């Protein structure tokens, strides 16, 4: 049963926040200037006296054409949800909409969301999944229901800087050719205290990824991307050997690498909360223990899995319909060729770590890697070659 006390406490907090911002917490969304989706001025976000000036500000946003939808995936997130919703309502560039996908919460999450939807300065649409989809599938399904030109993923337990969407908007104006952008974040604990790097399970920059992939996998909450990313057939994305689909942030990072023009913002625009219940951190820590482990068989299996994934991605690229948005036959063929080269790299690395092969064949596989070291070093860096050399020398 939902925790009624938690819901009432959260609702009182949202009401107090609304009163501080100068609008009626009990008025239904759609009244007065909020119904017209006008962007607030930072000095007085929702003051009725500023309605005329906001009309001028709104016209400039329409010219840029950047309508941002926020895709929020929730699951039993009542404990941390309210501060995140407040940070969305406090954006200096308001989103065009908030689209929520709830994955079967049994706490007060839905009550908090419904309460917020009645007072939010932008439309809020809430969908409840009939069955638990898992966080990656839930995010992608929620993003596919968005109507904006750009989509930003939103975790239920983080807190956004009030300038986050505005910074993305300014970057898109300066570089209109961009397809996706990534900002930095700040790691905090469950009480929002900044965490030192030594205490983190993973580096914020993703330093472990160059050891295993040319694609730097970025957390979903750091991304903003064009709508066509989810118009591509993500439902047919490759699965791992255990039958699980790859997560939303890994998938979008791969699509951005293969097809998109990307840009990285130096600003830290998200407080990334780390706690025991964080699904994404648990999954990444488990993957990292295999990816950078010293067990040779685990490394061989890991590289073989990556070989299968990128080979499947090659076929996925070649099977894209020619009418798929923003992609043509030439770009799909180029992406397929990149996937084929990456798959071959993992195939050679798996041979180096395969103890069922004799030493001569493993040395030969390492020689191929060395011959291609110029290409691979530019993409992967030198650490993979060095680690594979130690793996080759340390086994019979």
């Amino acid at each position: 049963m939902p925790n009624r006390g938690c819901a009432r406490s959260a609702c009182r907090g949202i009401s107090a926040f609304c009163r501080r911002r100068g609008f009626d917490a009990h008025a239904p969304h759609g009244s007065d200037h909020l119904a017209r989706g006008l962007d607030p001025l930072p000095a007085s976000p929702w003051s009725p006296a500023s309605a005329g000036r906001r009309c001028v500000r709104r016209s400039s946003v329409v010219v840029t054409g950047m309508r941002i939808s926020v895709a929020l995936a929730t699951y039993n997130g009542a404990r941390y949800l309210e501060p995140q919703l407040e940070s969305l309502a406090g954006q200096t560039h308001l989103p065009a909409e908030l689209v929520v996908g709830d994955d079967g919460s049994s706490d007060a999450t839905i009550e908090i969301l419904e309460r917020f939807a009645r007072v939010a300065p932008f439309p809020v649409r809430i969908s409840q999944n009939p069955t638990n989809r898992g966080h990656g599938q839930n995010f992608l399904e929620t993003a596919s229901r968005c109507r904006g030109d750009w989509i930003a993923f939103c975790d239920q337990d983080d807190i956004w800087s009030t300038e986050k969407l505005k910074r993305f908007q300014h970057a898109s104006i300066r570089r209109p050719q961009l397809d996706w952008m990534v900002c930095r974040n700040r790691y905090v604990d469950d009480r929002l205290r900044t965490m030192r790097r030594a205490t983190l399970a993973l580096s914020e920059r993703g330093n472990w990824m160059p050891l295993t992939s040319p694609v730097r996998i970025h957390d979903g909450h750091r991304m903003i991307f064009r709508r066509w990313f989810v118009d591509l057939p993500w439902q047919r994305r490759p699965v791992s050997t255990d039958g699980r689909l790859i997560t939303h942030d890994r998938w979008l990072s791969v699509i951005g690498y293969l097809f998109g023009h990307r840009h990285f913002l130096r600003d830290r625009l998200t407080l990334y909360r780390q706690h025991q219940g964080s699904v994404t951190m648990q999954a990444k820590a488990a993957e990292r223990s295999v990816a950078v482990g010293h067990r040779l068989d685990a490394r061989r299996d890991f590289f073989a899995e990556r070989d299968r994934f990128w080979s499947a991605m090659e076929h996925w690229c070649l099977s894209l319909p020619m009418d798929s948005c923003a992609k043509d036959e030439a770009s799909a063929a180029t992406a397929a060729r990149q996937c084929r080269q990456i798959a071959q790299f993992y195939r050679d690395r798996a041979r180096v770590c395969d103890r069922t092969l004799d030493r001569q064949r493993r040395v030969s596989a390492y020689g191929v890697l060395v011959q291609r070291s110029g290409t691979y070093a530019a993409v992967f860096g030198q650490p993979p070659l060095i680690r594979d050399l130690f793996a080759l020398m340390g086994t019979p």
Side-chain angles (χ1 to χ4, degrees):
M1 293 296 291
N3 189 328
R4 304 287 182 180
C6 180
R8 286 194 295 270
S9 175
C11 292
R12 284 195 298 270
I14 292 175
S15 298
F17 171 78
C18 296
R19 287 194 298 272
R20 292 195 302 270
R21 293 297 186 177
F23 62 90
D24 185 4
H26 300 282
H29 175 75
S31 62
D32 195 49
H33 58 284
L34 298 181
R36 299 196 293 273
L38 307 179
D39 285 343
L41 294 175
S44 181
W46 296 292
S47 171
S50 304
R53 288 180 292 166
R54 278 192 297 275
C55 293
V56 177
R57 184 177 175 84
R58 177 60 176 173
S59 64
S60 64
V61 175
V62 171
V63 172
T64 66
M66 191 173 189
R67 298 179 62 255
I68 306 174
S69 295
V70 175
L72 170 63
T74 61
Y75 178 69
N76 289 340
R79 180 179 178 183
Y80 301 113
L81 183 57
E82 182 189 353
Q84 177 66 299
L85 295 176
E86 290 188 4
S87 72
L88 296 180
Q91 292 294 303
T92 53
H93 176 83
L94 286 177
E97 62 177 352
L98 171 63
V99 182
V100 183
D102 185 76
D103 216 15
S105 295
S106 57
D107 62 0
T109 297
I110 293 298
E111 295 183 34
I112 295 173
L113 289 169
E114 290 175 344
R115 176 66 176 174
F116 178 76
R118 292 194 291 269
V119 301
F122 42 75
V124 179
R125 295 188 285 123
I126 305 171
S127 298
Q128 294 178 261
N129 299 331
T131 59
N132 187 281
R133 309 286 198 194
H135 77 284
Q137 189 76 2
N138 188 24
F139 264 115
L140 287 171
E141 290 180 359
T142 303
S144 66
R145 294 192 293 269
C146 292
R147 301 167 182 168
D149 303 320
W150 291 78
I151 300 173
F153 284 137
C154 179
D155 290 348
Q156 64 184 2
D157 49 3
D158 298 338
I159 297 179
W160 285 12
S161 163
T162 56
E163 295 288 312
K164 181 173 181 175
L165 296 185
K166 185 177 181 180
R167 297 287 179 87
F168 281 131
Q169 180 202 20
H170 288 173
S172 71
I173 294 174
R174 292 192 301 268
R175 299 175 176 85
Q177 77 279 10
L178 292 176
D179 296 309
W180 68 306
M181 294 174 278
V182 180
C183 69
R184 301 174 70 191
N185 58 18
R186 185 177 302 279
Y187 284 88
V188 296
D189 62 16
D190 57 351
R191 298 183 181 181
L192 302 182
R193 296 174 299 193
T194 300
M195 299 175 65
R196 294 188 302 172
R197 185 174 298 274
T199 64
L200 299 177
L202 288 175
S203 167
E204 186 243 357
R205 297 179 60 188
N207 290 331
W208 60 277
M209 283 307 302
L211 301 179
T212 57
S213 172
V215 182
R216 176 169 289 179
I217 305 302
H218 299 283
D219 299 310
H221 67 269
R222 298 168 58 190
M223 298 181 188
I224 184 170
F225 52 91
R226 290 192 184 271
R227 163 75 208 191
W228 63 259
F229 274 55
V230 291
D231 287 336
L232 294 173
W234 53 267
Q235 298 87 346
R236 295 192 286 107
R237 65 193 189 278
V239 299
S240 59
T241 52
D242 58 4
R244 293 184 299 177
L245 292 166
I246 65 173
T247 58
H248 62 294
D249 41 12
R250 179 177 294 276
W251 175 250
L252 285 224
S253 296
V254 169
I255 294 300
Y257 171 79
L258 293 175
F259 296 110
H261 297 280
R262 55 197 181 276
H263 176 64
F264 300 96
L265 277 67
R266 297 179 61 87
D267 307 283
R268 297 182 185 271
L269 301 177
T270 304
L271 295 182
Y272 187 24
R273 198 192 302 257
Q274 308 296 291
H275 56 90
Q276 294 297 325
S278 176
V279 176
T280 54
M281 288 305 296
Q282 291 173 359
K284 288 181 181 180
E287 183 180 63
R288 179 178 183 269
S289 66
V290 175
V292 301
H294 296 285
R295 293 180 300 168
L296 204 60
D297 292 341
R299 288 169 57 81
R300 178 202 61 198
D301 295 342
F302 180 84
F303 296 143
E305 170 65 21
R306 287 293 181 265
D307 174 19
R308 286 188 290 269
F309 170 78
W310 286 103
S311 297
M313 279 301 303
E314 176 188 358
H315 295 294
W316 183 90
C317 292
L318 294 175
S319 67
L320 284 177
M322 289 303 102
D323 59 348
S324 61
C325 55
K327 300 297 110 191
D328 54 23
E329 186 174 359
S331 61
T334 300
R337 184 168 58 252
Q338 287 180 292
C339 294
R340 184 164 57 253
Q341 293 172 348
I342 297 172
Q344 182 61 52
F345 172 75
Y346 283 125
R347 199 169 302 129
D348 293 337
R349 293 194 74 186
R351 291 195 184 105
V352 171
C353 299
D354 190 353
R355 290 189 292 186
T356 63
L357 301 178
D358 57 57
R359 174 63 69 90
Q360 183 177 357
R361 294 177 65 182
R362 292 171 58 200
V363 170
S364 176
Y366 186 78
V368 172
L369 288 174
V370 173
Q371 290 176 359
R372 299 171 179 167
S373 61
T375 301
Y376 290 142
V379 178
F380 293 83
Q382 290 292 346
L385 295 176
I386 297 173
R387 291 178 67 87
D388 291 337
L389 176 61
F390 280 112
L392 185 63
M393 295 172 57
T395 55

